[in-house]
Amino acid sequence: MQKTLADIGEFGLINRIQKILNKKDCKLPEVTLGIGDDTAAFNPKSGFELLVTCDCLVEGTHFLPDYITPHELGRRAMAINISDIGAMGGRPLYALVSLGLNPQAPVKYIEDMYLGFLDELNPLEACIIGGNLTKTQKPLFIDITVIGEVEIGRKLLRSSAKPGDKILVTGYPGQSAAGLKILLNEGKSDGKNDHPLIRAYNTPSHRAKEGQAIAQSGCGGAMIDTSDGFLSDLRHICVESHVGADLVEDKFPISEALRDAAARLNCSPVEFFLQASDDYELIFTCTPENVNKIRSAVSAVSDVPVSEIGWISKSAGKIQIERRDGTLYRPDPSGWNHYQIKEENNV
Amino acid sequence: MQKTLADIGEFGLINRIQKILNKKDCKLPEVTLGIGDDTAAFNPKSGFELLVTCDCLVEGTHFLPDYITPHELGRRAMAINISDIGAMGGRPLYALVSLGLNPQAPVKYIEDMYLGFLDELNPLEACIIGGNLTKTQKPLFIDITVIGEVEIGRKLLRSSAKPGDKILVTGYPGQSAAGLKILLNEGKSDGKNDHPLIRAYNTPSHRAKEGQAIAQSGCGGAMIDTSDGFLSDLRHICVESHVGADLVEDKFPISEALRDAAARLNCSPVEFFLQASDDYELIFTCTPENVNKIRSAVSAVSDVPVSEIGWISKSAGKIQIERRDGTLYRPDPSGWNHYQIKEENNV
């Protein structure tokens, strides 16, 4: 029978986590104290600001255990936090993992989650320095804090977009929402997790390297990640920068996979692109003369496509889209709003 | 009818929280970005290490809403995190508050929790710089990360106790456990929260100022806060320092209030002192010649009593206690172990 948390106790679990970290975690000389005391401790580097963010996944709200493996869940929970550091142009350094766990949770499930966390952190030479374990009945929750750094003067805010700036986006927003729909339509994922859109939902890629390259180029304007959905996140830039946005539908990056899936699901690929979707791509702005410099900076570190899809206007808060036939429309904003029932997305 | 989260939505709640912070929060010049972007940002001071900790309260596991007001709950959740920074000898600076909330939660309940958070942070000139709001069905959870700083070379670890060191403790450990017992025995707290032991449970004091003073004195050895219970936390020092502890029962600081309550509850006050209790006092060690220096350092910032209750021995892992009659015994360790069913404390 599989060992549960109740069998080995809190300190037994901490020992097992410590073993995984000793084997797989990066060792950073700046960390002066890791897991096992009242706090963790590290020496910040001079010349850098520190960035800090936290994000939480709750069973039943953000994931259903039957549809995602613990390793995927660990990757996803970590990637969405790394994404926020990347969206400032920063480099992720340290994570604290706070888990709400049922005493009947299998120990292996938790160990697999940790391996998932580390599979996202290791390539960035970032590490887990602390956390917390809490008993809860259902639902499981995973709350992660990530600390990163950015050179002083280089961080990219939501509030820095200027009229006339180009609007660019990485990758293919909307894929994750389509992946979720396929997952829910087709029932439990017995081997179906290999579908590229389901992968985009279960283990989204963050764009931390790309965000860092954009910030380091010195050519970026505003930046945000698409965690709420493209339109909702672009709206954050517009509101914080007191500007509007004119978009060209024909330029939206829509992957073949998304186009096929949308046809099969009898949905519009453009709607998938615009509305609530957990993709963790970057939306950013820059002056027209800097577009090529930023493209070069990104392509030096990544194969992810960067698409120019419109420009920032003076019309504060107004987002409009030009259709293929040249007509204009103002899209209905929805995106992810966790609490308003009528708009909520329950997984 | 009271407004709920579902009525105002996530962004409505963020606006209300922002208003409370604007009115009541401290403004620290080092914070270069607060709530409202992908991350918060701050400039670390040179000459300091950064400390980081997180701790979580879950409804049903750590509190029952009928027994604690939202303002008390906010204070408690923040105090236990501040306590960890204090237990390293550090100064708390920034908090991130991650909440798991039911859509039907009254907005006022959440606002009152924030006022509680700030009532703990404001006196320390610490502030909330970020967080997260997550939808969950029951139970409510409050997961807080606190970042603090300590002068390089001054942090006090669990692993620094040396044979011959004196063992000291602040305040009156055990009061919180007795307060919890009274609360559960006497039913819902209609005005009963004024009982000093119930206050000790619902709104425990942290000892951050005292911890900082001990670290700054340069005379401290090992230090830890009593979040699991005196014996369990002293054991952490013994294990990490590879030492033992000899304690003198007659020197245990047991308040009149605890003595009275123990008699009424037909329990031993010494058991309350030793076993699982959420008190957030400090246990620390120092060489005999430094005891008076540390007492002076603490009394310069605080009226909290400091009691000398024993000394560190060479016998790794062995804790023994001398009774009034001079006989010795080895106490049974329990403390707070979240997952092992036989030992768990369900509130």
Side-chain angles (χ1 to χ4, degrees), chain B residues 269-294:
Chain B
V270 170
E271 283 298 298
F272 275 124
F273 174 84
L274 291 172
Q275 303 299 345
S277 182
D278 293 285
D279 291 286
Y280 308 97
E281 297 293 348
L282 295 173
I283 306 173
F284 59 99
T285 70
C286 67
T287 59
E289 58 274 22
N290 279 332
V291 168
N292 285 336
K293 285 186 208 159
I294 287 197

PDB file of all heavy atoms in Angstrom, chain B residues 269-294:
ATOM      1  N   PRO B 269      -0.047  22.685  34.994  1.00  0.00           N
ATOM      2  CA  PRO B 269       0.493  23.884  34.309  1.00  0.00           C
ATOM      3  C   PRO B 269       1.833  23.597  33.624  1.00  0.00           C
ATOM      4  O   PRO B 269       2.141  24.178  32.586  1.00  0.00           O
ATOM      5  CB  PRO B 269       0.637  24.905  35.433  1.00  0.00           C
ATOM      6  CG  PRO B 269       0.594  24.143  36.716  1.00  0.00           C
ATOM      7  CD  PRO B 269      -0.178  22.887  36.455  1.00  0.00           C
ATOM      8  N   VAL B 270       2.604  22.675  34.202  1.00  0.00           N
ATOM      9  CA  VAL B 270       3.896  22.332  33.592  1.00  0.00           C
ATOM     10  C   VAL B 270       3.683  21.644  32.242  1.00  0.00           C
ATOM     11  O   VAL B 270       4.418  21.894  31.278  1.00  0.00           O
ATOM     12  CB  VAL B 270       4.737  21.435  34.545  1.00  0.00           C
ATOM     13  CG1 VAL B 270       5.959  20.871  33.838  1.00  0.00           C
ATOM     14  CG2 VAL B 270       5.150  22.238  35.780  1.00  0.00           C
ATOM     15  N   GLU B 271       2.652  20.806  32.157  1.00  0.00           N
ATOM     16  CA  GLU B 271       2.349  20.169  30.868  1.00  0.00           C
ATOM     17  C   GLU B 271       1.981  21.227  29.826  1.00  0.00           C
ATOM     18  O   GLU B 271       2.405  21.156  28.681  1.00  0.00           O
ATOM     19  CB  GLU B 271       1.206  19.157  31.013  1.00  0.00           C
ATOM     20  CG  GLU B 271       1.625  17.840  31.637  1.00  0.00           C
ATOM     21  CD  GLU B 271       2.671  17.101  30.799  1.00  0.00           C
ATOM     22  OE1 GLU B 271       2.367  16.748  29.645  1.00  0.00           O
ATOM     23  OE2 GLU B 271       3.794  16.906  31.305  1.00  0.00           O
ATOM     24  N   PHE B 272       1.148  22.197  30.239  1.00  0.00           N
ATOM     25  CA  PHE B 272       0.816  23.287  29.310  1.00  0.00           C
ATOM     26  C   PHE B 272       2.093  23.993  28.847  1.00  0.00           C
ATOM     27  O   PHE B 272       2.257  24.304  27.674  1.00  0.00           O
ATOM     28  CB  PHE B 272      -0.121  24.309  29.963  1.00  0.00           C
ATOM     29  CG  PHE B 272      -1.570  23.943  29.879  1.00  0.00           C
ATOM     30  CD1 PHE B 272      -2.347  23.838  31.027  1.00  0.00           C
ATOM     31  CD2 PHE B 272      -2.175  23.703  28.653  1.00  0.00           C
ATOM     32  CE1 PHE B 272      -3.690  23.508  30.958  1.00  0.00           C
ATOM     33  CE2 PHE B 272      -3.522  23.368  28.571  1.00  0.00           C
ATOM     34  CZ  PHE B 272      -4.284  23.268  29.730  1.00  0.00           C
ATOM     35  N   PHE B 273       2.997  24.243  29.788  1.00  0.00           N
ATOM     36  CA  PHE B 273       4.250  24.936  29.452  1.00  0.00           C
ATOM     37  C   PHE B 273       5.067  24.135  28.440  1.00  0.00           C
ATOM     38  O   PHE B 273       5.613  24.690  27.487  1.00  0.00           O
ATOM     39  CB  PHE B 273       5.068  25.172  30.730  1.00  0.00           C
ATOM     40  CG  PHE B 273       6.428  25.751  30.465  1.00  0.00           C
ATOM     41  CD1 PHE B 273       6.604  27.117  30.301  1.00  0.00           C
ATOM     42  CD2 PHE B 273       7.547  24.921  30.349  1.00  0.00           C
ATOM     43  CE1 PHE B 273       7.863  27.650  30.035  1.00  0.00           C
ATOM     44  CE2 PHE B 273       8.804  25.450  30.085  1.00  0.00           C
ATOM     45  CZ  PHE B 273       8.962  26.813  29.925  1.00  0.00           C
ATOM     46  N   LEU B 274       5.111  22.813  28.645  1.00  0.00           N
ATOM     47  CA  LEU B 274       6.023  21.997  27.832  1.00  0.00           C
ATOM     48  C   LEU B 274       5.439  21.598  26.474  1.00  0.00           C
ATOM     49  O   LEU B 274       6.169  21.499  25.483  1.00  0.00           O
ATOM     50  CB  LEU B 274       6.394  20.709  28.582  1.00  0.00           C
ATOM     51  CG  LEU B 274       7.284  20.851  29.823  1.00  0.00           C
ATOM     52  CD1 LEU B 274       7.369  19.501  30.548  1.00  0.00           C
ATOM     53  CD2 LEU B 274       8.686  21.322  29.429  1.00  0.00           C
ATOM     54  N   GLN B 275       4.146  21.321  26.439  1.00  0.00           N
ATOM     55  CA  GLN B 275       3.597  20.657  25.252  1.00  0.00           C
ATOM     56  C   GLN B 275       3.053  21.634  24.204  1.00  0.00           C
ATOM     57  O   GLN B 275       3.155  22.839  24.374  1.00  0.00           O
ATOM     58  CB  GLN B 275       2.536  19.636  25.679  1.00  0.00           C
ATOM     59  CG  GLN B 275       3.050  18.570  26.663  1.00  0.00           C
ATOM     60  CD  GLN B 275       4.186  17.703  26.098  1.00  0.00           C
ATOM     61  OE1 GLN B 275       4.421  17.684  24.894  1.00  0.00           O
ATOM     62  NE2 GLN B 275       4.903  16.995  26.968  1.00  0.00           N
ATOM     63  N   ALA B 276       2.462  21.073  23.138  1.00  0.00           N
ATOM     64  CA  ALA B 276       1.982  21.849  21.991  1.00  0.00           C
ATOM     65  C   ALA B 276       1.219  23.096  22.421  1.00  0.00           C
ATOM     66  O   ALA B 276       0.251  23.014  23.176  1.00  0.00           O
ATOM     67  CB  ALA B 276       1.088  20.970  21.113  1.00  0.00           C
ATOM     68  N   SER B 277       1.652  24.226  21.938  1.00  0.00           N
ATOM     69  CA  SER B 277       1.018  25.500  22.284  1.00  0.00           C
ATOM     70  C   SER B 277       1.526  26.555  21.309  1.00  0.00           C
ATOM     71  O   SER B 277       2.710  26.611  21.017  1.00  0.00           O
ATOM     72  CB  SER B 277       1.375  25.873  23.734  1.00  0.00           C
ATOM     73  OG  SER B 277       0.736  27.075  24.109  1.00  0.00           O
ATOM     74  N   ASP B 278       0.614  27.368  20.805  1.00  0.00           N
ATOM     75  CA  ASP B 278       0.986  28.401  19.807  1.00  0.00           C
ATOM     76  C   ASP B 278       1.338  29.713  20.485  1.00  0.00           C
ATOM     77  O   ASP B 278       0.568  30.664  20.423  1.00  0.00           O
ATOM     78  CB  ASP B 278      -0.207  28.680  18.881  1.00  0.00           C
ATOM     79  CG  ASP B 278      -0.564  27.516  18.004  1.00  0.00           C
ATOM     80  OD1 ASP B 278       0.159  27.277  17.038  1.00  0.00           O
ATOM     81  OD2 ASP B 278      -1.585  26.858  18.289  1.00  0.00           O
ATOM     82  N   ASP B 279       2.497  29.784  21.107  1.00  0.00           N
ATOM     83  CA  ASP B 279       2.771  31.004  21.876  1.00  0.00           C
ATOM     84  C   ASP B 279       3.660  32.031  21.203  1.00  0.00           C
ATOM     85  O   ASP B 279       3.573  33.201  21.482  1.00  0.00           O
ATOM     86  CB  ASP B 279       3.390  30.643  23.222  1.00  0.00           C
ATOM     87  CG  ASP B 279       2.392  29.958  24.119  1.00  0.00           C
ATOM     88  OD1 ASP B 279       1.508  30.635  24.629  1.00  0.00           O
ATOM     89  OD2 ASP B 279       2.491  28.735  24.262  1.00  0.00           O
ATOM     90  N   TYR B 280       4.561  31.589  20.368  1.00  0.00           N
ATOM     91  CA  TYR B 280       5.452  32.514  19.658  1.00  0.00           C
ATOM     92  C   TYR B 280       6.333  33.319  20.594  1.00  0.00           C
ATOM     93  O   TYR B 280       6.630  34.486  20.375  1.00  0.00           O
ATOM     94  CB  TYR B 280       4.655  33.386  18.683  1.00  0.00           C
ATOM     95  CG  TYR B 280       3.817  32.491  17.805  1.00  0.00           C
ATOM     96  CD1 TYR B 280       2.483  32.255  18.109  1.00  0.00           C
ATOM     97  CD2 TYR B 280       4.395  31.801  16.755  1.00  0.00           C
ATOM     98  CE1 TYR B 280       1.734  31.351  17.360  1.00  0.00           C
ATOM     99  CE2 TYR B 280       3.660  30.904  16.007  1.00  0.00           C
ATOM    100  CZ  TYR B 280       2.336  30.684  16.317  1.00  0.00           C
ATOM    101  OH  TYR B 280       1.603  29.800  15.602  1.00  0.00           O
ATOM    102  N   GLU B 281       6.749  32.644  21.684  1.00  0.00           N
ATOM    103  CA  GLU B 281       7.804  33.200  22.532  1.00  0.00           C
ATOM    104  C   GLU B 281       9.145  32.792  21.932  1.00  0.00           C
ATOM    105  O   GLU B 281       9.191  32.029  20.957  1.00  0.00           O
ATOM    106  CB  GLU B 281       7.666  32.655  23.967  1.00  0.00           C
ATOM    107  CG  GLU B 281       6.374  33.053  24.672  1.00  0.00           C
ATOM    108  CD  GLU B 281       6.296  34.560  24.958  1.00  0.00           C
ATOM    109  OE1 GLU B 281       7.314  35.264  24.816  1.00  0.00           O
ATOM    110  OE2 GLU B 281       5.189  35.017  25.308  1.00  0.00           O
ATOM    111  N   LEU B 282      10.236  33.294  22.485  1.00  0.00           N
ATOM    112  CA  LEU B 282      11.573  32.925  22.004  1.00  0.00           C
ATOM    113  C   LEU B 282      12.278  32.034  23.018  1.00  0.00           C
ATOM    114  O   LEU B 282      12.260  32.330  24.226  1.00  0.00           O
ATOM    115  CB  LEU B 282      12.428  34.176  21.786  1.00  0.00           C
ATOM    116  CG  LEU B 282      11.964  35.127  20.690  1.00  0.00           C
ATOM    117  CD1 LEU B 282      12.819  36.404  20.724  1.00  0.00           C
ATOM    118  CD2 LEU B 282      12.048  34.461  19.316  1.00  0.00           C
ATOM    119  N   ILE B 283      12.875  30.954  22.535  1.00  0.00           N
ATOM    120  CA  ILE B 283      13.829  30.184  23.330  1.00  0.00           C
ATOM    121  C   ILE B 283      15.203  30.551  22.770  1.00  0.00           C
ATOM    122  O   ILE B 283      15.383  30.527  21.541  1.00  0.00           O
ATOM    123  CB  ILE B 283      13.642  28.662  23.158  1.00  0.00           C
ATOM    124  CG1 ILE B 283      12.194  28.249  23.442  1.00  0.00           C
ATOM    125  CG2 ILE B 283      14.616  27.892  24.046  1.00  0.00           C
ATOM    126  CD1 ILE B 283      11.926  26.764  23.116  1.00  0.00           C
ATOM    127  N   PHE B 284      16.157  30.879  23.644  1.00  0.00           N
ATOM    128  CA  PHE B 284      17.491  31.188  23.126  1.00  0.00           C
ATOM    129  C   PHE B 284      18.548  30.779  24.133  1.00  0.00           C
ATOM    130  O   PHE B 284      18.244  30.494  25.294  1.00  0.00           O
ATOM    131  CB  PHE B 284      17.615  32.674  22.736  1.00  0.00           C
ATOM    132  CG  PHE B 284      17.374  33.640  23.845  1.00  0.00           C
ATOM    133  CD1 PHE B 284      18.437  34.219  24.523  1.00  0.00           C
ATOM    134  CD2 PHE B 284      16.088  33.987  24.210  1.00  0.00           C
ATOM    135  CE1 PHE B 284      18.225  35.128  25.549  1.00  0.00           C
ATOM    136  CE2 PHE B 284      15.857  34.894  25.242  1.00  0.00           C
ATOM    137  CZ  PHE B 284      16.925  35.462  25.911  1.00  0.00           C
ATOM    138  N   THR B 285      19.764  30.719  23.661  1.00  0.00           N
ATOM    139  CA  THR B 285      20.868  30.306  24.529  1.00  0.00           C
ATOM    140  C   THR B 285      21.964  31.374  24.500  1.00  0.00           C
ATOM    141  O   THR B 285      22.042  32.166  23.546  1.00  0.00           O
ATOM    142  CB  THR B 285      21.497  28.969  24.063  1.00  0.00           C
ATOM    143  OG1 THR B 285      22.201  29.188  22.836  1.00  0.00           O
ATOM    144  CG2 THR B 285      20.437  27.900  23.823  1.00  0.00           C
ATOM    145  N   CYS B 286      22.772  31.378  25.558  1.00  0.00           N
ATOM    146  CA  CYS B 286      23.965  32.242  25.556  1.00  0.00           C
ATOM    147  C   CYS B 286      24.913  31.730  26.625  1.00  0.00           C
ATOM    148  O   CYS B 286      24.518  30.948  27.498  1.00  0.00           O
ATOM    149  CB  CYS B 286      23.594  33.714  25.801  1.00  0.00           C
ATOM    150  SG  CYS B 286      22.961  34.033  27.440  1.00  0.00           S
ATOM    151  N   THR B 287      26.143  32.168  26.578  1.00  0.00           N
ATOM    152  CA  THR B 287      27.104  31.747  27.609  1.00  0.00           C
ATOM    153  C   THR B 287      26.689  32.403  28.935  1.00  0.00           C
ATOM    154  O   THR B 287      26.069  33.480  28.934  1.00  0.00           O
ATOM    155  CB  THR B 287      28.536  32.199  27.248  1.00  0.00           C
ATOM    156  OG1 THR B 287      28.538  33.622  27.126  1.00  0.00           O
ATOM    157  CG2 THR B 287      28.995  31.592  25.933  1.00  0.00           C
ATOM    158  N   PRO B 288      27.033  31.771  30.058  1.00  0.00           N
ATOM    159  CA  PRO B 288      26.608  32.311  31.359  1.00  0.00           C
ATOM    160  C   PRO B 288      27.006  33.774  31.544  1.00  0.00           C
ATOM    161  O   PRO B 288      26.230  34.560  32.084  1.00  0.00           O
ATOM    162  CB  PRO B 288      27.306  31.395  32.370  1.00  0.00           C
ATOM    163  CG  PRO B 288      27.508  30.104  31.635  1.00  0.00           C
ATOM    164  CD  PRO B 288      27.750  30.482  30.208  1.00  0.00           C
ATOM    165  N   GLU B 289      28.187  34.144  31.055  1.00  0.00           N
ATOM    166  CA  GLU B 289      28.628  35.529  31.304  1.00  0.00           C
ATOM    167  C   GLU B 289      27.859  36.550  30.460  1.00  0.00           C
ATOM    168  O   GLU B 289      27.913  37.741  30.720  1.00  0.00           O
ATOM    169  CB  GLU B 289      30.150  35.690  31.102  1.00  0.00           C
ATOM    170  CG  GLU B 289      30.698  35.314  29.752  1.00  0.00           C
ATOM    171  CD  GLU B 289      31.024  33.808  29.628  1.00  0.00           C
ATOM    172  OE1 GLU B 289      30.450  33.017  30.415  1.00  0.00           O
ATOM    173  OE2 GLU B 289      31.814  33.451  28.744  1.00  0.00           O
ATOM    174  N   ASN B 290      27.132  36.070  29.462  1.00  0.00           N
ATOM    175  CA  ASN B 290      26.371  37.002  28.621  1.00  0.00           C
ATOM    176  C   ASN B 290      24.909  37.160  29.031  1.00  0.00           C
ATOM    177  O   ASN B 290      24.195  37.983  28.451  1.00  0.00           O
ATOM    178  CB  ASN B 290      26.439  36.566  27.152  1.00  0.00           C
ATOM    179  CG  ASN B 290      27.733  37.012  26.491  1.00  0.00           C
ATOM    180  OD1 ASN B 290      28.314  38.020  26.891  1.00  0.00           O
ATOM    181  ND2 ASN B 290      28.197  36.259  25.505  1.00  0.00           N
ATOM    182  N   VAL B 291      24.477  36.392  30.035  1.00  0.00           N
ATOM    183  CA  VAL B 291      23.058  36.445  30.421  1.00  0.00           C
ATOM    184  C   VAL B 291      22.631  37.870  30.765  1.00  0.00           C
ATOM    185  O   VAL B 291      21.604  38.368  30.281  1.00  0.00           O
ATOM    186  CB  VAL B 291      22.772  35.485  31.607  1.00  0.00           C
ATOM    187  CG1 VAL B 291      21.382  35.748  32.189  1.00  0.00           C
ATOM    188  CG2 VAL B 291      22.880  34.031  31.149  1.00  0.00           C
ATOM    189  N   ASN B 292      23.419  38.547  31.574  1.00  0.00           N
ATOM    190  CA  ASN B 292      22.994  39.885  31.998  1.00  0.00           C
ATOM    191  C   ASN B 292      23.006  40.896  30.856  1.00  0.00           C
ATOM    192  O   ASN B 292      22.145  41.771  30.777  1.00  0.00           O
ATOM    193  CB  ASN B 292      23.844  40.375  33.174  1.00  0.00           C
ATOM    194  CG  ASN B 292      23.421  39.659  34.440  1.00  0.00           C
ATOM    195  OD1 ASN B 292      22.279  39.175  34.532  1.00  0.00           O
ATOM    196  ND2 ASN B 292      24.344  39.532  35.396  1.00  0.00           N
ATOM    197  N   LYS B 293      23.973  40.748  29.961  1.00  0.00           N
ATOM    198  CA  LYS B 293      24.005  41.665  28.799  1.00  0.00           C
ATOM    199  C   LYS B 293      22.738  41.490  27.967  1.00  0.00           C
ATOM    200  O   LYS B 293      22.142  42.454  27.493  1.00  0.00           O
ATOM    201  CB  LYS B 293      25.238  41.370  27.929  1.00  0.00           C
ATOM    202  CG  LYS B 293      26.526  41.884  28.539  1.00  0.00           C
ATOM    203  CD  LYS B 293      27.689  41.691  27.569  1.00  0.00           C
ATOM    204  CE  LYS B 293      28.988  41.532  28.354  1.00  0.00           C
ATOM    205  NZ  LYS B 293      30.036  40.879  27.618  1.00  0.00           N
ATOM    206  N   ILE B 294      22.344  40.232  27.770  1.00  0.00           N
ATOM    207  CA  ILE B 294      21.141  39.990  26.966  1.00  0.00           C
ATOM    208  C   ILE B 294      19.897  40.490  27.701  1.00  0.00           C
ATOM    209  O   ILE B 294      19.020  41.104  27.106  1.00  0.00           O
ATOM    210  CB  ILE B 294      21.024  38.486  26.612  1.00  0.00           C
ATOM    211  CG1 ILE B 294      22.077  38.150  25.546  1.00  0.00           C
ATOM    212  CG2 ILE B 294      19.625  38.149  26.132  1.00  0.00           C
ATOM    213  CD1 ILE B 294      21.848  36.866  24.806  1.00  0.00           C
TER     214      ILE B 294
END
